[in-house]
Every structure is written in structure tokens, then in C-alpha cells.
Amino acid sequence: MNTGDFQYIADLLRARSGLVLGPDKAYLLESRLNPVARKYEKQNLEDLISALRLQRKEAMIKDVVEAMTTNESFFFRDMKPFDQFRDKVLPQLLQARSASKHIRIWSAACSSGQEPYSLAMILKEQAAKLAGWRIEIVATDLSTDILDKAKSGVYTQFEVQRGLPITLLMKYFKQEGDRWIISDEIKSMVNYRVFNLLESPAGMGTFDVVFLRNVLIYFDQPTKTKVLEAVANQMREDGNLYLGGAETVLGVTSKFSMIQGERGLYGLSPKSAAA
């Protein structure tokens, strides 16, 4: 692939999704975009890019962006954030929201659904404590294809072996051949929506907890700031934000501050909470 074609795709991805594609990731273009080329009956990647330049078909652009931004996920990824949520954040919320009995959680860039379903299983295991409560899990991604997979709740043997405790697999999944299907009671706890993090989340209302894990690493600094500040505007004053282990708010925004002794967990800074 020539430099001009690579830069065209890189600029398109940045404008549409915020993803920064460096030259070291050029190898991904072949593996991820060749299926898109075949879908549009193009002989190779160069023909696909030529068609993108000339025709600017929105459906083709959407397929290219989705192919390049779909990232893998797995159940209870890194485990600690989910233990933290169950043992620290949820008990605090149960006390703080005892009057309204209403908790809203946002799983942003949820990919194929393992993160929101992990949260749903944690909450289901706490059913006795949550009797009479209204719990909402809103899960978003910009890819309609990946959201369709998440909504189906169907996973391979390989996918359920990555992080999912065997007790929860047996309790909340049923096996059909080489596929595992999550139970309707867990599926019904998650509301999936198409959403691009470059857009304003104002229409989604406020949240008590936001999981924005392993997303910011793909953005440049201005985009990280924009996304985090938009998220801050949608959080309750005592809400919590989860980031991935390689991500931080330091030097990115003053809207959030680290919670002492809790790596990867952030709260609104005092000024932001007051605002």
C-alpha cells in the first residue's frame, strides 16, 4: 500500500471514530479491510480505497470504520475492576441511592458485550440486596455489527473460557453444540445503543458508574480530553469512572481525580462535582 492510501484511511478513521492509526498498525489494513473489499466486489485493498475516494458511499465508509475499530473483549477483563465494583462501589451506591433505589451504569465502547454482561452477572448475584431496585445498564458502541453480536448473547467456547468463572458459565449460559448462549435474564438487563464517543452523550442522561476501559489508548490527546469531559458532564456528583490499566486522566483533564488506593478508578474532581 502506498503512503497516500494509508494516510487517506488514517484520516478517515480519525475523523469518524477518533482512532489514531500509526504506521506501525498498517498491517491491520490488509487483515481487516480485505473482507470489506470482497463485500463490495473489489479485487484488492487498493481498489477499495480508490472507490472510497471516488464514490464516498456512506455504507462503504461505515463498513471500513467498523472493521478497523472493532476490538476484542472478554468476560471480567483484568478481574480487579469487577471485584472493585462489587465490593466497594456497589455497596456505596446502595447507601447513597437508598431513597431513589435507582442506579445507572454505562459500558462505553462495549464491543461484543462481555463487559456489560459481566456487570449484569455481578448484579444478578446480588439480587437479594437489590430487591426493589431499578438497575439500568446502558452499553454502547459505534459498530452496529458488533452490537448485533452482543445482543445475540452467543459466544464460542474460546470466548467463554477467557475470564468467565465456571460457576457463572454453568449458571447463566446454556450450551448448544460449540456455542454458549447467555440466559435471557442476563440479556434483558442490558440496553444496547449505537453511539460514537466523538458525539455528545447528553441525550443518554446521567450515570452513577461509567466503564470507559481500554478505549482512550486509541485516541490522541485532544480527543481523550473531549471524550472525558463529555463523560464528566453526564455523571452524578459522586459517580465513578473506570479506565483501563494503561489509561489515566493525569495531564488529560481536570474534571476527574484518582480515588486514593484504587487504581483505574476515578471520581469527579471537587470543582466538577460542585458544578
Side-chain angles (χ1 to χ4, degrees), residues 204-230:
M204 293 198 296
T206 56
F207 294 94
D208 302 289
V209 183
V210 176
F211 277 71
L212 185 68
R213 304 187 65 236
N214 307 300
V215 183
L216 298 179
I217 52 174
Y218 299 105
F219 297 158
D220 60 18
Q221 193 83 344
T223 305
K224 290 178 184 179
T225 301
K226 175 184 176 181
V227 169
L228 283 172
E229 296 192 348

Side-chain angles (χ1 to χ4, degrees), residues 118-158:
S118 296
L119 292 168
M121 284 184 275
I122 288 173
L123 292 165
K124 198 67 178 177
E125 291 292 289
Q126 303 289 317
K129 296 178 183 178
L130 293 170
W133 285 70
R134 184 157 65 99
I135 312 293
E136 294 181 69
I137 304 174
V138 179
T140 65
D141 202 280
L142 61 76
S143 170
T144 54
D145 288 344
I146 205 69
L147 286 178
D148 285 343
K149 174 175 169 55
K151 290 175 188 176
S152 76
V154 177
Y155 297 95
T156 65
Q157 181 72 38
F158 176 71

Side-chain angles (χ1 to χ4, degrees), residues 1-57:
M1 175 184 297
N2 63 52
T3 304
D5 280 353
F6 173 82
Q7 194 58 51
Y8 177 81
I9 294 294
D11 291 344
L12 179 66
L13 290 173
R14 192 169 193 164
R16 291 301 186 100
S17 70
L19 175 68
V20 177
L21 186 69
D24 60 320
K25 295 292 192 299
Y27 69 93
L28 286 175
L29 295 182
E30 292 283 344
S31 61
R32 295 196 177 186
L33 295 187
N34 274 333
V36 180
R38 289 193 293 272
K39 176 180 178 179
Y40 288 95
E41 299 181 339
K42 306 302 176 186
Q43 290 190 350
N44 51 45
L45 194 51
E46 287 70 23
D47 285 353
L48 175 68
I49 295 170
S50 178
L52 283 168
R53 290 178 183 272
L54 293 172
Q55 299 170 15
R56 299 292 297 181
K57 288 184 177 178

Side-chain angles (χ1 to χ4, degrees), residues 21-271:
L21 186 69
D24 60 320
K25 295 292 192 299
Y27 69 93
L28 286 175
L29 295 182
E30 292 283 344
S31 61
R32 295 196 177 186
L33 295 187
N34 274 333
V36 180
R38 289 193 293 272
K39 176 180 178 179
Y40 288 95
E41 299 181 339
K42 306 302 176 186
Q43 290 190 350
N44 51 45
L45 194 51
E46 287 70 23
D47 285 353
L48 175 68
I49 295 170
S50 178
L52 283 168
R53 290 178 183 272
L54 293 172
Q55 299 170 15
R56 299 292 297 181
K57 288 184 177 178
E58 190 59 34
M60 190 184 296
I61 292 171
K62 176 176 173 288
D63 285 344
V64 166
V65 172
E66 290 194 3
M68 291 302 301
T69 55
T70 299
N71 298 292
E72 69 169 5
S73 181
F74 47 95
F75 292 100
F76 296 96
R77 185 171 184 176
D78 305 325
M79 190 50 86
K80 183 179 178 181
F82 296 95
D83 290 342
Q84 213 174 41
F85 171 76
R86 182 193 62 228
D87 299 334
K88 179 181 176 67
V89 173
L90 186 58
Q92 290 176 348
L93 284 173
L94 291 178
Q95 184 174 3
R97 305 290 184 267
S98 58
S100 65
K101 294 189 182 301
H102 184 199
I103 296 171
R104 298 191 79 228
I105 302 166
W106 179 13
S107 172
C110 68
S111 190
S112 44
Q114 287 94 323
E115 179 177 271
Y117 287 142
S118 296
L119 292 168
M121 284 184 275
I122 288 173
L123 292 165
K124 198 67 178 177
E125 291 292 289
Q126 303 289 317
K129 296 178 183 178
L130 293 170
W133 285 70
R134 184 157 65 99
I135 312 293
E136 294 181 69
I137 304 174
V138 179
T140 65
D141 202 280
L142 61 76
S143 170
T144 54
D145 288 344
I146 205 69
L147 286 178
D148 285 343
K149 174 175 169 55
K151 290 175 188 176
S152 76
V154 177
Y155 297 95
T156 65
Q157 181 72 38
F158 176 71
E159 287 171 323
V160 298
Q161 285 177 331
R162 302 182 73 192
L164 183 62
I166 187 67
T167 52
L168 298 182
L169 176 64
M170 294 295 101
K171 190 171 184 178
Y172 295 118
F173 290 75
K174 66 178 179 180
Q175 188 174 14
E176 290 188 0
D178 59 352
R179 305 182 309 161
W180 290 85
I181 303 171
I182 203 164
S183 68
D184 288 341
E185 63 178 340
I186 298 299
K187 275 202 291 188
S188 66
M189 294 175 69
V190 183
N191 176 21
Y192 288 101
R193 303 183 191 179
V194 177
F195 180 72
N196 189 328
L197 285 168
L198 297 186
E199 300 169 359
S200 169
M204 293 198 296
T206 56
F207 294 94
D208 302 289
V209 183
V210 176
F211 277 71
L212 185 68
R213 304 187 65 236
N214 307 300
V215 183
L216 298 179
I217 52 174
Y218 299 105
F219 297 158
D220 60 18
Q221 193 83 344
T223 305
K224 290 178 184 179
T225 301
K226 175 184 176 181
V227 169
L228 283 172
E229 296 192 348
V231 169
N233 291 336
Q234 302 309 124
M235 291 187 64
R236 297 284 297 272
E237 66 279 357
D238 58 347
N240 290 122
L241 169 71
Y242 279 93
L243 298 182
E247 298 167 328
T248 182
V249 302
L250 298 176
V252 182
T253 178
S254 60
K255 295 277 188 178
F256 291 98
S257 56
M258 294 179 65
I259 293 179
Q260 192 75 23
E262 302 291 346
R263 187 183 177 196
L265 184 60
Y266 301 83
L268 289 175
S269 62
K271 286 184 180 179

